[in-house]
Amino acid sequence: MTDHYKFKSRGVAATFRSLKPAVESDSLHHRPKVLLARDAAAVVTGSSTEPSNDALAPGDVDHKLWESGDGSNGTSSILIRKGPFDSDDVILENEEEDFEEASIPSICGMSSPESALSGVFLMDQIKDFKPIDESSNAEVWQTEWHKNQIAALSSDQFDVLLRMCPEFSGCKSHMAAFVLIKDVLDAAGRPWKQYKVVAVGAGRSCCSGWLCYSGMMVHDCHAIIIARRALLRFLYKQLLLFFEDDPKAKESCVFESSADSHLLQLKPTISLHLYTNQCPEGAPKNFCFKSSANNRWSNLKLQYHAKGELIPGPYLDLGLWGANVCCISGSDKLCSWTITGVQGALLSHFVQPLYITTMVVGGQIFQEVSDITSSRLGDGWEGVLPPFYKKQDIIFLSGDYVGPAATSQTDDNLSINWCLGDEDVEVLDSSKGVIVEGSPSVSGSSFSSRLCKRALYSYFRKVARLGGHDYLMELPTYHSVKVEAAVHQSVKDLVKQRFLSNHAGPWKSKVLVDCFSA
């Protein structure tokens, strides 16, 4: 274990500072052309892949986001230095100043890191790539290089995060990560693509107990769902940057003002991508029926996780539904996100919908997952949806599996989360929806997670206050804030109606679990 990854005492604000690699530029010539260091971005150029040193020049900004899991002013804080695409590596204040480049992981299906991630390979694939051309972008997303890069960066980020707590490394068997990709130009005007892992989630189960009405329990701990909740936390951090008085902070944010709306928009040079090393649970993976008459998918019901089982909605016992945790499957949520976006109701008060561009699935991908996710809700949405909403089909890609060769039952009820700016991972007991003893990060009272509804609600209120949205502060409950996002709710209603018309069954919501106040 190197000094670079020393633990820091808990309950103290983590300060971050920038360190350049203590190596000469010439010494990098014979190394792999992707810098996979902690919180480092990989940059794709039209002819090579290089560490990002001067592609961006965001402001030197530190910003706190209190991470108390119960939504109160917590005992520890996070400092976000610069934006997510900063070229400098970020380390903790009490760490040693020596810098080591992380090695590129050897991934099943790649002959070697050099051959898989080399600039020569990329040049063969996208020799004349121009980032402003959407058709060229689509070609990039289809390349072997892109999906291997997504898998490699996601795997490396997970490994770096777990170096201080290897006892939880088995959770990697069910892992997901969100990656932002930014189009930039170097000094010579050459197009680059800059990759950055911003949220990581791991887990394979749901809470098996009774419903929680305080907002302090995380009900669903499947990898994709946890990664998405970690992404929401990251987006709140970005909004805090945007509403800073310092213009350099706003410049480093992934959001920008829109000329057509009071809502912020993701900068057009940035796209959102998802990696998971397991096929999402749900109807496309577990229950597939294709009609021979019209060659279309039929009889696909919405699936619910309940008591450790995946149950089609029509067969879900009403008594079980009324009192126990029942979570809609990950594949059903993915299908919904192609219309609603991943931002959810609360963030819809501040930003336009955010859509997933590509999803790389490690190992064997079921073609049905791609087909059903894209076609299950049908077409004809153009004249139905309000402004800024659309149907954006996810480009599914079959990538490399990154994770342990064998799984252990001891990891079945563990879940891990992290987003960019967090000092440590947080480990949850997914059967209870709270933090486990021994978790590197413990921030909330009663071991409540920084990703629980109450915590996200507290982040929302901080952003609303800083952004001058006083009317949102006056709403009495978490549920009332969700309802106030009327446009987003109308889109969700349209999605639910389409599921019903397709005989998928009702998308059930539990209002009572949202009726807590700040």
Side-chain angles (χ1 to χ4, degrees):
M1 184 180 300
T2 66
D3 290 339
H4 183 74
Y5 293 100
K6 285 182 178 178
F7 259 121
K8 183 178 184 302
S9 59
R10 306 294 171 206
V12 180
T15 56
F16 294 80
R17 55 197 171 89
S18 167
L19 288 182
K20 292 285 188 180
V23 292
E24 297 297 329
S25 58
D26 291 343
S27 67
L28 297 176
H29 288 173
H30 301 292
R31 297 185 182 186
K33 296 183 179 180
V34 180
L35 181 63
L36 293 178
R38 185 176 186 179
D39 287 345
V43 179
V44 184
T45 72
S47 58
S48 66
T49 307
E50 306 169 3
S52 169
N53 291 325
D54 301 306
L56 299 175
D60 293 331
V61 178
D62 291 337
H63 196 95
K64 288 186 178 181
L65 172 63
W66 293 95
E67 62 166 315
S68 172
D70 62 358
S72 62
N73 287 338
T75 58
S76 63
S77 64
I78 299 167
L79 297 182
I80 311 168
R81 188 187 184 282
K82 298 187 176 182
F85 291 96
D86 275 345
S87 58
D88 298 344
D89 289 278
V90 178
I91 68 170
L92 297 177
E93 186 69 37
N94 68 325
E95 292 177 344
E96 299 295 332
E97 295 193 3
D98 57 314
F99 177 89
E100 295 180 3
E101 290 184 25
S103 60
I104 297 177
S106 177
I107 298 176
C108 176
M110 293 184 181
S111 55
S112 69
E114 278 284 345
S115 63
L117 301 177
S118 68
V120 174
F121 178 86
L122 179 62
M123 187 65 175
D124 292 340
Q125 296 292 327
I126 51 173
K127 179 170 58 177
D128 300 317
F129 166 66
K130 293 181 176 60
I132 59 173
D133 186 341
E134 291 187 5
S135 62
S136 296
N137 261 335
E139 293 174 6
V140 174
W141 306 146
Q142 298 287 353
T143 62
E144 290 288 322
W145 195 97
H146 168 73
K147 63 183 184 181
N148 289 342
Q149 176 76 339
I150 292 282
L153 287 172
S154 300
S155 175
D156 183 76
Q157 184 66 63
F158 190 94
D159 292 342
V160 168
L161 292 170
L162 270 293
R163 282 180 182 174
M164 290 305 302
C165 44
E167 65 272 24
F168 301 121
S169 60
C171 296
K172 192 178 182 181
S173 64
H174 291 68
M175 183 264 287
F178 277 97
V179 179
L180 292 183
I181 301 179
K182 182 179 177 66
D183 295 331
V184 294
L185 299 176
D186 65 9
R190 295 174 301 180
W192 293 17
K193 277 195 173 294
Q194 197 172 16
Y195 287 62
K196 189 71 172 180
V197 178
V198 297
V200 173
R204 64 182 86 170
S205 60
C206 290
C207 179
S208 58
W210 305 104
L211 289 173
C212 173
Y213 300 98
S214 65
M216 298 174 66
M217 175 192 292
V218 179
H219 288 165
D220 192 346
C221 289
H222 286 89
I224 290 177
I225 308 306
I226 288 294
R228 185 256 184 173
R229 295 184 79 87
L231 175 67
L232 299 184
R233 178 173 157 83
F234 165 77
L235 295 176
Y236 280 117
K237 295 180 183 182
Q238 291 298 301
L239 289 172
L240 291 176
L241 281 177
F242 183 87
F243 291 123
E244 272 280 0
D245 293 332
D246 189 339
K248 291 184 178 180
K250 185 173 297 188
E251 178 185 350
S252 68
C253 179
V254 300
F255 293 112
E256 67 179 10
S257 299
S258 170
D260 303 323
S261 171
H262 68 283
L263 298 174
L264 303 180
Q265 64 181 10
L266 192 67
K267 290 178 178 177
T269 55
I270 298 176
S271 57
L272 180 64
H273 304 257
L274 173 61
Y275 173 81
T276 179
N277 61 1
Q278 296 287 342
C279 194
E281 295 289 330
K285 175 182 177 181
N286 305 90
F287 307 94
C288 293
F289 305 94
K290 199 168 187 178
S291 171
S292 58
N294 53 17
N295 200 38
R296 297 185 61 181
W297 298 103
S298 62
N299 301 323
L300 287 177
K301 307 300 182 184
L302 293 172
Q303 308 292 320
Y304 291 85
H305 293 282
K307 288 289 188 178
E309 298 180 350
L310 191 63
I311 305 174
Y315 304 105
L316 188 63
D317 182 80
L318 293 180
L320 183 66
W321 164 256
N324 292 83
V325 174
C326 301
C327 303
I328 199 87
S329 72
S331 60
D332 292 331
K333 289 184 178 180
L334 275 173
C335 189
S336 173
W337 292 340
T338 63
I339 306 290
T340 65
V342 299
Q343 75 289 340
L346 269 64
L347 279 171
S348 294
H349 286 288
F350 310 120
V351 302
Q352 295 176 17
L354 305 177
Y355 295 99
I356 300 170
T357 301
T358 67
M359 179 174 172
V360 180
V361 181
Q364 179 184 5
I365 180 174
F366 294 85
Q367 183 61 39
E368 292 83 1
V369 175
S370 175
D371 292 345
I372 296 172
T373 304
S374 299
S375 62
R376 194 173 178 191
L377 290 175
D379 299 319
W381 291 92
E382 293 78 6
V384 177
L385 296 172
F388 310 115
Y389 285 88
K390 59 184 177 180
K391 183 175 187 291
Q392 177 163 313
D393 293 337
I394 300 172
I395 301 173
F396 281 84
L397 303 169
S398 181
D400 290 291
Y401 170 80
V402 293
T407 60
S408 170
Q409 289 186 346
T410 59
D411 301 318
D412 285 353
N413 289 327
L414 292 179
S415 173
I416 289 174
N417 70 78
W418 170 90
C419 77
L420 187 61
D422 289 344
E423 178 184 352
D424 291 310
V425 297
E426 180 184 78
V427 184
L428 306 181
D429 180 344
S430 54
S431 67
K432 300 177 181 178
V434 296
I435 301 173
V436 302
E437 292 188 16
S439 170
S441 176
V442 179
S443 54
S445 64
S446 303
F447 285 87
S448 57
S449 171
R450 60 193 178 190
L451 298 187
C452 69
K453 288 186 177 184
R454 182 173 290 274
L456 294 178
Y457 187 31
S458 72
Y459 309 152
F460 167 85
R461 289 176 62 84
K462 288 177 174 63
V463 171
R465 184 183 301 111
L466 191 61
H469 300 274
D470 296 335
Y471 73 99
L472 294 175
M473 300 294 296
E474 298 173 359
L475 298 173
T477 65
Y478 177 86
H479 175 68
S480 61
V481 172
K482 291 178 67 174
V483 172
E484 187 69 15
V487 175
H488 180 79
Q489 295 297 344
S490 69
V491 174
K492 284 187 65 176
D493 289 341
L494 289 172
V495 170
K496 293 177 182 179
Q497 291 169 14
R498 184 63 65 92
F499 275 125
L500 279 174
S501 65
N502 291 344
H503 307 290
W507 184 298
K508 300 178 181 180
S509 299
K510 294 181 177 179
V511 175
L512 291 179
V513 298
D514 294 337
C515 292
F516 59 89
S517 57

